[in-house]
Amino acid sequence: MWFGGSVPAAIAAAKERSSVFVVFVAGEDEQSTEMAARWEDEKVTEAASDGFVAIKIDTKRSEPILILSLVQSFVDDDDENPVVCVPSSFFIGDNGIPLEVIAGSVSVEELVTRIHKVKQKEIKKEIERRKTGKEMLEYKRRQEEELTKRMLEERNREKAEERAARERIRQQIAMDRAERAARFAKSKEEAEAAKAAALQAKQAEIEARKEAAQRERSAIARIQFRLPDGSSFTNQFPSEARLEEARQFAAQTVGNTYGNFSLATMFPRREFTKEDYGKKLLELELAPSASVVLLPPSVRSAHQQEHSAPSASGSIEQSRQAVRKRVVEKRGEDFKKEGKIYRLRTQDDGEDENNTWNGNSTQQM
């Protein structure tokens, strides 16, 4: 379990793996031999198998200056003459501060307990580190959202100022024209023309305001989606958005409840085609607000049959006209028309008509 390289290499490995750096200082005494055996026990090896980089320093083979410098970094600065306890075990965190120090030899159970204690310190530190990282990410996200919001507000403000400036210019031009017409009016006709120009300018101003208000209202399309079960939900879209975006929003909301549904309006009655889904909501007259119906496949088939009904009703109407024609023709044979009134024919009627055509009618006299 011991690191095979040098002390600097072991320190670098511990930092790279974000692991606890363990330094075991051993001598040739009996306690050092016992503690070395404790470190190499199966329970200890298993407890320290994850999250530790351990190195063993032999006081006989290592330079005394190296051992003393390591020990001095683990004791208080006020201690000018630190005593090197052999054997010693140091658990050092990534910031160079000892998390735990074991002087002398301890049992396997005590060593395992100390290792778990160090792990708990590292877990708390990792939780705190993650919490700090999460807070930093959240802070960065809020900053980006605030920056985006300010940029959007600034852009909208600039656009509003540009529209207002153009409107002021148009109004000024109209007023200048009206003033010039009034100033140079030399007759009643010219005065009337100036008055009309002023009125036209005023009307243009009113129309411009209406147009601006209409553009403002048309910027957003508020769509109400009506479901076959009678419920509904509403969402707002940019008026420049495509109808397909509204359909995708509805599909995400209802899921697979209504299958591959389509959209339609009831007033006026219209089912949108594939070409319509690529058009803008404003172009389809769905802004500033509209109500659309979700048509499941079964309802859509009935809707299409209903639209094909006029051809059948046309055939029925032709049959009715043929019947009315036969009735009129029959009416001419069995009835006699007097003004707008039809009277049942009699035998005398037939004789009178014959007399007329035979030259016996008084009408020929």
mmCIF file of all heavy atoms in Angstrom, residues 96-133:
data_model
loop_
_atom_site.group_PDB
_atom_site.id
_atom_site.type_symbol
_atom_site.label_atom_id
_atom_site.label_comp_id
_atom_site.label_asym_id
_atom_site.label_seq_id
_atom_site.Cartn_x
_atom_site.Cartn_y
_atom_site.Cartn_z
ATOM 1 N N GLY A 96 -2.424 21.223 3.432
ATOM 2 C CA GLY A 96 -1.181 21.089 4.171
ATOM 3 C C GLY A 96 -1.353 21.038 5.677
ATOM 4 O O GLY A 96 -0.363 20.963 6.408
ATOM 5 N N ILE A 97 -2.581 21.074 6.182
ATOM 6 C CA ILE A 97 -2.835 21.061 7.627
ATOM 7 C C ILE A 97 -3.117 19.630 8.066
ATOM 8 O O ILE A 97 -3.921 18.928 7.427
ATOM 9 C CB ILE A 97 -4.023 21.967 7.977
ATOM 10 C CG1 ILE A 97 -3.706 23.406 7.559
ATOM 11 C CG2 ILE A 97 -4.363 21.883 9.456
ATOM 12 C CD1 ILE A 97 -4.858 24.357 7.777
ATOM 13 N N PRO A 98 -2.488 19.157 9.136
ATOM 14 C CA PRO A 98 -2.736 17.785 9.607
ATOM 15 C C PRO A 98 -4.180 17.620 10.077
ATOM 16 O O PRO A 98 -4.703 18.429 10.843
ATOM 17 C CB PRO A 98 -1.754 17.624 10.774
ATOM 18 C CG PRO A 98 -0.708 18.666 10.555
ATOM 19 C CD PRO A 98 -1.397 19.806 9.903
ATOM 20 N N LEU A 99 -4.808 16.563 9.589
ATOM 21 C CA LEU A 99 -6.161 16.231 10.032
ATOM 22 C C LEU A 99 -6.139 15.340 11.270
ATOM 23 O O LEU A 99 -7.061 15.375 12.081
ATOM 24 C CB LEU A 99 -6.924 15.522 8.895
ATOM 25 C CG LEU A 99 -7.035 16.287 7.575
ATOM 26 C CD1 LEU A 99 -7.681 15.415 6.514
ATOM 27 C CD2 LEU A 99 -7.830 17.565 7.760
ATOM 28 N N GLU A 100 -5.076 14.542 11.386
ATOM 29 C CA GLU A 100 -4.951 13.621 12.522
ATOM 30 C C GLU A 100 -3.476 13.254 12.651
ATOM 31 O O GLU A 100 -2.757 13.100 11.653
ATOM 32 C CB GLU A 100 -5.805 12.370 12.294
ATOM 33 C CG GLU A 100 -5.900 11.451 13.484
ATOM 34 C CD GLU A 100 -6.821 11.992 14.573
ATOM 35 O OE1 GLU A 100 -7.612 12.912 14.280
ATOM 36 O OE2 GLU A 100 -6.760 11.490 15.705
ATOM 37 N N VAL A 101 -2.993 13.097 13.909
ATOM 38 C CA VAL A 101 -1.617 12.691 14.192
ATOM 39 C C VAL A 101 -1.651 11.560 15.207
ATOM 40 O O VAL A 101 -2.315 11.670 16.250
ATOM 41 C CB VAL A 101 -0.769 13.865 14.730
ATOM 42 C CG1 VAL A 101 0.652 13.386 15.042
ATOM 43 C CG2 VAL A 101 -0.744 15.003 13.728
ATOM 44 N N ILE A 102 -0.988 10.465 14.888
ATOM 45 C CA ILE A 102 -0.911 9.321 15.805
ATOM 46 C C ILE A 102 0.544 9.163 16.227
ATOM 47 O O ILE A 102 1.426 8.916 15.387
ATOM 48 C CB ILE A 102 -1.409 8.022 15.131
ATOM 49 C CG1 ILE A 102 -2.850 8.186 14.660
ATOM 50 C CG2 ILE A 102 -1.286 6.843 16.084
ATOM 51 C CD1 ILE A 102 -3.362 6.982 13.888
ATOM 52 N N ALA A 103 0.789 9.317 17.530
ATOM 53 C CA ALA A 103 2.146 9.165 18.074
ATOM 54 C C ALA A 103 2.276 7.780 18.684
ATOM 55 O O ALA A 103 1.423 7.349 19.465
ATOM 56 C CB ALA A 103 2.434 10.246 19.104
ATOM 57 N N GLY A 104 3.324 7.077 18.344
ATOM 58 C CA GLY A 104 3.539 5.751 18.887
ATOM 59 C C GLY A 104 2.774 4.692 18.122
ATOM 60 O O GLY A 104 2.375 4.876 16.981
ATOM 61 N N SER A 105 2.551 3.571 18.789
ATOM 62 C CA SER A 105 1.872 2.430 18.173
ATOM 63 C C SER A 105 0.487 2.272 18.782
ATOM 64 O O SER A 105 0.299 2.444 19.994
ATOM 65 C CB SER A 105 2.696 1.149 18.384
ATOM 66 O OG SER A 105 2.015 0.027 17.865
ATOM 67 N N VAL A 106 -0.522 2.004 17.927
ATOM 68 C CA VAL A 106 -1.892 1.772 18.390
ATOM 69 C C VAL A 106 -2.368 0.458 17.810
ATOM 70 O O VAL A 106 -1.765 -0.107 16.887
ATOM 71 C CB VAL A 106 -2.824 2.916 17.947
ATOM 72 C CG1 VAL A 106 -2.438 4.220 18.605
ATOM 73 C CG2 VAL A 106 -2.845 3.048 16.444
ATOM 74 N N SER A 107 -3.481 -0.037 18.333
ATOM 75 C CA SER A 107 -4.035 -1.309 17.853
ATOM 76 C C SER A 107 -4.643 -1.144 16.463
ATOM 77 O O SER A 107 -4.843 -0.030 15.978
ATOM 78 C CB SER A 107 -5.102 -1.814 18.829
ATOM 79 O OG SER A 107 -6.192 -0.901 18.855
ATOM 80 N N VAL A 108 -4.940 -2.298 15.839
ATOM 81 C CA VAL A 108 -5.559 -2.266 14.518
ATOM 82 C C VAL A 108 -6.909 -1.573 14.583
ATOM 83 O O VAL A 108 -7.246 -0.750 13.725
ATOM 84 C CB VAL A 108 -5.711 -3.703 13.962
ATOM 85 C CG1 VAL A 108 -6.541 -3.706 12.686
ATOM 86 C CG2 VAL A 108 -4.346 -4.319 13.718
ATOM 87 N N GLU A 109 -7.690 -1.884 15.612
ATOM 88 C CA GLU A 109 -9.015 -1.275 15.745
ATOM 89 C C GLU A 109 -8.908 0.233 15.918
ATOM 90 O O GLU A 109 -9.673 0.999 15.317
ATOM 91 C CB GLU A 109 -9.769 -1.896 16.934
ATOM 92 C CG GLU A 109 -10.195 -3.342 16.738
ATOM 93 C CD GLU A 109 -9.033 -4.322 16.827
ATOM 94 O OE1 GLU A 109 -7.952 -3.901 17.309
ATOM 95 O OE2 GLU A 109 -9.213 -5.474 16.402
ATOM 96 N N GLU A 110 -7.969 0.690 16.745
ATOM 97 C CA GLU A 110 -7.794 2.118 16.947
ATOM 98 C C GLU A 110 -7.342 2.804 15.652
ATOM 99 O O GLU A 110 -7.809 3.899 15.308
ATOM 100 C CB GLU A 110 -6.770 2.368 18.051
ATOM 101 C CG GLU A 110 -6.443 3.837 18.302
ATOM 102 C CD GLU A 110 -7.627 4.623 18.844
ATOM 103 O OE1 GLU A 110 -8.591 3.975 19.336
ATOM 104 O OE2 GLU A 110 -7.608 5.862 18.765
ATOM 105 N N LEU A 111 -6.454 2.151 14.912
ATOM 106 C CA LEU A 111 -5.977 2.731 13.648
ATOM 107 C C LEU A 111 -7.112 2.835 12.639
ATOM 108 O O LEU A 111 -7.242 3.848 11.941
ATOM 109 C CB LEU A 111 -4.823 1.891 13.096
ATOM 110 C CG LEU A 111 -4.160 2.413 11.807
ATOM 111 C CD1 LEU A 111 -3.678 3.845 11.990
ATOM 112 C CD2 LEU A 111 -3.007 1.508 11.397
ATOM 113 N N VAL A 112 -7.976 1.777 12.564
ATOM 114 C CA VAL A 112 -9.122 1.821 11.645
ATOM 115 C C VAL A 112 -10.071 2.940 12.060
ATOM 116 O O VAL A 112 -10.617 3.678 11.222
ATOM 117 C CB VAL A 112 -9.838 0.462 11.622
ATOM 118 C CG1 VAL A 112 -11.169 0.568 10.843
ATOM 119 C CG2 VAL A 112 -8.956 -0.598 10.986
ATOM 120 N N THR A 113 -10.271 3.104 13.394
ATOM 121 C CA THR A 113 -11.142 4.176 13.883
ATOM 122 C C THR A 113 -10.598 5.548 13.498
ATOM 123 O O THR A 113 -11.346 6.439 13.059
ATOM 124 C CB THR A 113 -11.280 4.084 15.408
ATOM 125 O OG1 THR A 113 -11.832 2.806 15.753
ATOM 126 C CG2 THR A 113 -12.195 5.193 15.926
ATOM 127 N N ARG A 114 -9.293 5.722 13.640
ATOM 128 C CA ARG A 114 -8.681 7.003 13.267
ATOM 129 C C ARG A 114 -8.832 7.267 11.747
ATOM 130 O O ARG A 114 -9.084 8.396 11.326
ATOM 131 C CB ARG A 114 -7.188 6.998 13.630
ATOM 132 C CG ARG A 114 -6.898 6.892 15.109
ATOM 133 C CD ARG A 114 -7.246 8.164 15.852
ATOM 134 N NE ARG A 114 -6.780 8.127 17.219
ATOM 135 C CZ ARG A 114 -5.611 8.612 17.637
ATOM 136 N NH1 ARG A 114 -4.792 9.158 16.771
ATOM 137 N NH2 ARG A 114 -5.265 8.543 18.906
ATOM 138 N N ILE A 115 -8.667 6.226 10.958
ATOM 139 C CA ILE A 115 -8.823 6.387 9.503
ATOM 140 C C ILE A 115 -10.241 6.802 9.157
ATOM 141 O O ILE A 115 -10.466 7.720 8.337
ATOM 142 C CB ILE A 115 -8.447 5.071 8.781
ATOM 143 C CG1 ILE A 115 -6.941 4.813 8.909
ATOM 144 C CG2 ILE A 115 -8.865 5.119 7.307
ATOM 145 C CD1 ILE A 115 -6.494 3.475 8.363
ATOM 146 N N HIS A 116 -11.241 6.176 9.781
ATOM 147 C CA HIS A 116 -12.646 6.569 9.530
ATOM 148 C C HIS A 116 -12.917 7.985 10.000
ATOM 149 O O HIS A 116 -13.699 8.722 9.384
ATOM 150 C CB HIS A 116 -13.598 5.594 10.226
ATOM 151 C CG HIS A 116 -13.667 4.251 9.563
ATOM 152 N ND1 HIS A 116 -13.839 4.102 8.207
ATOM 153 C CD2 HIS A 116 -13.577 2.985 10.064
ATOM 154 C CE1 HIS A 116 -13.859 2.803 7.892
ATOM 155 N NE2 HIS A 116 -13.702 2.109 9.008
ATOM 156 N N LYS A 117 -12.264 8.365 11.103
ATOM 157 C CA LYS A 117 -12.430 9.732 11.600
ATOM 158 C C LYS A 117 -11.903 10.744 10.578
ATOM 159 O O LYS A 117 -12.533 11.778 10.319
ATOM 160 C CB LYS A 117 -11.687 9.879 12.926
ATOM 161 C CG LYS A 117 -11.825 11.246 13.563
ATOM 162 C CD LYS A 117 -11.068 11.295 14.880
ATOM 163 C CE LYS A 117 -11.181 12.673 15.511
ATOM 164 N NZ LYS A 117 -10.420 12.752 16.784
ATOM 165 N N VAL A 118 -10.751 10.438 9.997
ATOM 166 C CA VAL A 118 -10.197 11.321 8.964
ATOM 167 C C VAL A 118 -11.117 11.381 7.758
ATOM 168 O O VAL A 118 -11.331 12.445 7.160
ATOM 169 C CB VAL A 118 -8.794 10.827 8.558
ATOM 170 C CG1 VAL A 118 -8.306 11.577 7.328
ATOM 171 C CG2 VAL A 118 -7.815 11.012 9.707
ATOM 172 N N LYS A 119 -11.689 10.215 7.397
ATOM 173 C CA LYS A 119 -12.618 10.194 6.259
ATOM 174 C C LYS A 119 -13.831 11.091 6.512
ATOM 175 O O LYS A 119 -14.301 11.796 5.616
ATOM 176 C CB LYS A 119 -13.091 8.766 5.979
ATOM 177 C CG LYS A 119 -12.070 7.918 5.237
ATOM 178 C CD LYS A 119 -12.672 6.566 4.871
ATOM 179 C CE LYS A 119 -11.702 5.753 4.021
ATOM 180 N NZ LYS A 119 -12.279 4.445 3.638
ATOM 181 N N GLN A 120 -14.347 11.062 7.756
ATOM 182 C CA GLN A 120 -15.490 11.907 8.094
ATOM 183 C C GLN A 120 -15.130 13.392 7.951
ATOM 184 O O GLN A 120 -15.919 14.190 7.448
ATOM 185 C CB GLN A 120 -15.977 11.609 9.515
ATOM 186 C CG GLN A 120 -16.637 10.252 9.666
ATOM 187 C CD GLN A 120 -17.887 10.123 8.809
ATOM 188 O OE1 GLN A 120 -18.643 11.076 8.646
ATOM 189 N NE2 GLN A 120 -18.104 8.944 8.239
ATOM 190 N N LYS A 121 -13.901 13.759 8.406
ATOM 191 C CA LYS A 121 -13.464 15.149 8.210
ATOM 192 C C LYS A 121 -13.432 15.497 6.744
ATOM 193 O O LYS A 121 -13.861 16.586 6.314
ATOM 194 C CB LYS A 121 -12.065 15.334 8.822
ATOM 195 C CG LYS A 121 -12.063 15.322 10.358
ATOM 196 C CD LYS A 121 -10.658 15.487 10.910
ATOM 197 C CE LYS A 121 -10.619 15.421 12.416
ATOM 198 N NZ LYS A 121 -9.286 15.644 12.995
ATOM 199 N N GLU A 122 -12.917 14.585 5.886
ATOM 200 C CA GLU A 122 -12.832 14.821 4.453
ATOM 201 C C GLU A 122 -14.215 14.911 3.822
ATOM 202 O O GLU A 122 -14.462 15.702 2.908
ATOM 203 C CB GLU A 122 -12.028 13.690 3.777
ATOM 204 C CG GLU A 122 -10.545 13.793 4.006
ATOM 205 C CD GLU A 122 -9.990 15.039 3.351
ATOM 206 O OE1 GLU A 122 -10.081 15.179 2.127
ATOM 207 O OE2 GLU A 122 -9.473 15.903 4.091
ATOM 208 N N ILE A 123 -15.168 14.088 4.323
ATOM 209 C CA ILE A 123 -16.545 14.133 3.785
ATOM 210 C C ILE A 123 -17.177 15.483 4.068
ATOM 211 O O ILE A 123 -17.804 16.105 3.209
ATOM 212 C CB ILE A 123 -17.393 12.993 4.387
ATOM 213 C CG1 ILE A 123 -16.928 11.646 3.818
ATOM 214 C CG2 ILE A 123 -18.881 13.211 4.085
ATOM 215 C CD1 ILE A 123 -17.583 10.458 4.453
ATOM 216 N N LYS A 124 -17.005 15.966 5.301
ATOM 217 C CA LYS A 124 -17.566 17.284 5.642
ATOM 218 C C LYS A 124 -16.942 18.371 4.775
ATOM 219 O O LYS A 124 -17.624 19.281 4.300
ATOM 220 C CB LYS A 124 -17.307 17.585 7.122
ATOM 221 C CG LYS A 124 -18.126 16.713 8.070
ATOM 222 C CD LYS A 124 -17.833 17.075 9.512
ATOM 223 C CE LYS A 124 -18.648 16.200 10.471
ATOM 224 N NZ LYS A 124 -18.359 16.526 11.884
ATOM 225 N N LYS A 125 -15.623 18.242 4.578
ATOM 226 C CA LYS A 125 -14.949 19.242 3.752
ATOM 227 C C LYS A 125 -15.444 19.178 2.303
ATOM 228 O O LYS A 125 -15.633 20.214 1.651
ATOM 229 C CB LYS A 125 -13.439 19.005 3.813
ATOM 230 C CG LYS A 125 -12.633 20.081 3.083
ATOM 231 C CD LYS A 125 -11.163 19.855 3.279
ATOM 232 C CE LYS A 125 -10.708 18.586 2.588
ATOM 233 N NZ LYS A 125 -9.247 18.390 2.654
ATOM 234 N N GLU A 126 -15.674 17.959 1.795
ATOM 235 C CA GLU A 126 -16.158 17.805 0.415
ATOM 236 C C GLU A 126 -17.575 18.366 0.277
ATOM 237 O O GLU A 126 -17.915 19.014 -0.725
ATOM 238 C CB GLU A 126 -16.150 16.317 0.037
ATOM 239 C CG GLU A 126 -16.681 16.009 -1.354
ATOM 240 C CD GLU A 126 -15.831 16.594 -2.458
ATOM 241 O OE1 GLU A 126 -14.675 16.961 -2.185
ATOM 242 O OE2 GLU A 126 -16.323 16.687 -3.590
ATOM 243 N N ILE A 127 -18.421 18.116 1.310
ATOM 244 C CA ILE A 127 -19.783 18.669 1.283
ATOM 245 C C ILE A 127 -19.728 20.196 1.264
ATOM 246 O O ILE A 127 -20.450 20.858 0.504
ATOM 247 C CB ILE A 127 -20.583 18.163 2.496
ATOM 248 C CG1 ILE A 127 -20.833 16.648 2.361
ATOM 249 C CG2 ILE A 127 -21.903 18.917 2.627
ATOM 250 C CD1 ILE A 127 -21.485 16.032 3.577
ATOM 251 N N GLU A 128 -18.845 20.750 2.091
ATOM 252 C CA GLU A 128 -18.721 22.204 2.136
ATOM 253 C C GLU A 128 -18.194 22.749 0.798
ATOM 254 O O GLU A 128 -18.639 23.792 0.315
ATOM 255 C CB GLU A 128 -17.786 22.600 3.274
ATOM 256 C CG GLU A 128 -17.686 24.098 3.511
ATOM 257 C CD GLU A 128 -18.994 24.700 3.973
ATOM 258 O OE1 GLU A 128 -19.827 23.952 4.546
ATOM 259 O OE2 GLU A 128 -19.197 25.912 3.763
ATOM 260 N N ARG A 129 -17.237 22.007 0.227
ATOM 261 C CA ARG A 129 -16.687 22.436 -1.059
ATOM 262 C C ARG A 129 -17.746 22.414 -2.152
ATOM 263 O O ARG A 129 -17.860 23.341 -2.953
ATOM 264 C CB ARG A 129 -15.523 21.525 -1.447
ATOM 265 C CG ARG A 129 -14.777 21.974 -2.698
ATOM 266 C CD ARG A 129 -13.734 20.955 -3.099
ATOM 267 N NE ARG A 129 -14.351 19.698 -3.515
ATOM 268 C CZ ARG A 129 -14.887 19.494 -4.717
ATOM 269 N NH1 ARG A 129 -14.871 20.463 -5.614
ATOM 270 N NH2 ARG A 129 -15.437 18.344 -5.031
ATOM 271 N N ARG A 130 -18.548 21.342 -2.179
ATOM 272 C CA ARG A 130 -19.612 21.260 -3.182
ATOM 273 C C ARG A 130 -20.674 22.332 -2.966
ATOM 274 O O ARG A 130 -21.197 22.912 -3.921
ATOM 275 C CB ARG A 130 -20.262 19.879 -3.144
ATOM 276 C CG ARG A 130 -19.340 18.759 -3.619
ATOM 277 C CD ARG A 130 -20.057 17.437 -3.658
ATOM 278 N NE ARG A 130 -19.175 16.363 -4.120
ATOM 279 C CZ ARG A 130 -19.577 15.103 -4.284
ATOM 280 N NH1 ARG A 130 -20.840 14.774 -4.022
ATOM 281 N NH2 ARG A 130 -18.731 14.184 -4.707
ATOM 282 N N LYS A 131 -20.971 22.577 -1.684
ATOM 283 C CA LYS A 131 -21.951 23.619 -1.387
ATOM 284 C C LYS A 131 -21.444 24.977 -1.875
ATOM 285 O O LYS A 131 -22.188 25.756 -2.486
ATOM 286 C CB LYS A 131 -22.215 23.663 0.119
ATOM 287 C CG LYS A 131 -23.226 24.718 0.527
ATOM 288 C CD LYS A 131 -23.438 24.714 2.034
ATOM 289 C CE LYS A 131 -24.411 25.808 2.446
ATOM 290 N NZ LYS A 131 -24.595 25.839 3.916
ATOM 291 N N THR A 132 -20.162 25.230 -1.600
ATOM 292 C CA THR A 132 -19.575 26.495 -2.070
ATOM 293 C C THR A 132 -19.586 26.579 -3.585
ATOM 294 O O THR A 132 -19.908 27.626 -4.175
ATOM 295 C CB THR A 132 -18.142 26.634 -1.539
ATOM 296 O OG1 THR A 132 -18.152 26.539 -0.112
ATOM 297 C CG2 THR A 132 -17.537 27.968 -1.955
ATOM 298 N N GLY A 133 -19.221 25.460 -4.242
ATOM 299 C CA GLY A 133 -19.240 25.448 -5.705
ATOM 300 C C GLY A 133 -20.632 25.672 -6.259
ATOM 301 O O GLY A 133 -20.820 26.407 -7.244
#
